[in-house]
Amino acid sequence: QKEVEQNSGPLSVPEGAIASLNCTYSDRGSQSFFWYRQYSGKSPELIMSIYSNGDKEDGRFTAQLNKASQYVSLLIRDSQPSDSATYLCAVNTQGAQKLVFGQGTRLTINP
Amino acid sequence: DVKVTQSSRYLVKRTGEKVFLECVQDMDHENMFWYRQDPGLGLRLIYFSYDVKMKEKGDIPEGYSVSREKKERFSLILESASTNQTSMYLCASRFNYEQYFGPGTRLTVT
């Protein structure tokens, strides 16, 4: 079992709709959770961090964390074509200095 | 704003050459990381450093070494470049658990 799993996609969403991206992780000791956006040919850009159960909102983005079920999700409201990218989920275990990344979900927003 | 820079965006080297990739951060971060990213394999950690002159192997250290003589600079060295090291190389630095990436170096070894 991979440590961090994401559906590779592609996930296709119409413009203006809500895009929902999911990630599950295997290590129950994980403490910190991150979403990165990566455009083709570019480096990953941190867009959300979440550390406690529940929702965290930042503009059109909402991160949701459920430690009991070991999943973290990212919702993008009012999706725009500029949101088309690969989204990487990353998880940090307590005391560990490195992140474990998922393979990424490719998201396409259709005008 | 966090700023991580890498010495080159694109690099072409020949098999057997010694290659230096440099990464600089200006935020006084202690932790820095080198990854490579390949289609279908995702991001893989090569080495990381948690202080000056301190380093730890990541998941795929073979064929690579690193140097961290100053806090702001972390170098990745390919001792003898091979074609299977053709990849996108990404440097990151960490602050409060959050990692920030540089723009990446696309290395081609011919």
Side-chain angles (χ1 to χ4, degrees):
Chain A
Q1 182 189 6
K2 292 181 183 174
E3 293 182 73
V4 178
E5 292 209 48
Q6 298 180 250
N7 187 325
S8 62
L11 176 64
S12 187
V13 173
E15 184 176 356
I18 296 175
S20 177
L21 303 159
N22 299 311
C23 171
T24 59
Y25 59 94
S26 59
D27 189 341
R28 284 198 169 273
S30 299
Q31 295 286 316
S32 311
F33 307 85
F34 308 92
W35 283 99
Y36 288 82
R37 177 177 62 199
Q38 186 173 25
Y39 293 115
S40 180
K42 303 293 186 182
S43 62
E45 174 193 7
L46 179 66
I47 54 171
M48 289 290 283
S49 308
I50 187 166
Y51 302 98
S52 53
N53 276 332
D55 295 1
K56 179 183 176 183
E57 189 173 316
D58 184 1
R60 295 186 297 111
F61 298 100
T62 300
Q64 298 175 318
L65 174 60
N66 184 323
K67 287 187 178 180
S69 301
Q70 294 177 246
Y71 83 78
V72 57
S73 61
L74 179 70
L75 302 178
I76 307 174
R77 288 182 301 282
D78 188 24
S79 297
Q80 303 296 310
S82 58
D83 295 326
S84 298
T86 296
Y87 289 80
L88 300 169
C89 172
V91 174
N92 178 246
T93 306
Q94 186 179 25
Q97 291 165 324
K98 59 181 186 176
L99 289 178
V100 180
F101 285 85
Q103 292 282 329
T105 297
R106 190 154 56 93
L107 173 67
T108 300
I109 307 299
N110 301 305
Chain B
D1 264 3
V2 175
K3 192 161 180 66
V4 181
T5 58
Q6 294 182 231
S7 49
S8 307
R9 292 300 307 275
Y10 300 94
L11 208 53
V12 179
K13 295 292 182 181
R14 292 196 181 275
T15 301
E17 279 192 80
K18 192 168 185 175
V19 181
F20 293 86
L21 303 181
E22 299 229 307
C23 176
V24 176
Q25 49 97 0
D26 64 356
M27 291 82 61
D28 204 36
H29 292 172
E30 292 181 346
N31 294 278
M32 297 183 73
F33 304 80
W34 275 107
Y35 296 87
R36 63 178 285 179
Q37 187 175 34
D38 302 284
L41 297 176
L43 274 166
R44 292 181 291 168
L45 181 64
I46 305 171
Y47 266 98
F48 65 99
S49 168
Y50 49 91
D51 204 347
V52 174
K53 296 191 188 294
M54 308 302 285
K55 61 187 179 184
E56 277 201 30
K57 294 180 181 179
D59 301 317
I60 52 161
E62 298 78 19
Y64 303 94
S65 62
V66 290
S67 171
R68 190 151 181 220
E69 297 296 319
K70 293 185 178 182
K71 198 172 188 180
E72 67 270 17
R73 190 180 299 269
F74 189 32
S75 301
L76 179 69
I77 303 154
L78 287 65
E79 298 290 343
S80 177
S82 63
T83 54
N84 63 12
Q85 292 178 310
T86 290
S87 186
M88 169 73 103
Y89 288 88
L90 292 157
C91 173
S93 80
R94 191 182 89 155
F95 176 70
N96 281 352
Y97 305 109
E98 296 178 348
Q99 284 191 23
Y100 298 91
F101 285 87
T105 296
R106 186 163 293 282
L107 172 67
T108 302
V109 182
T110 61

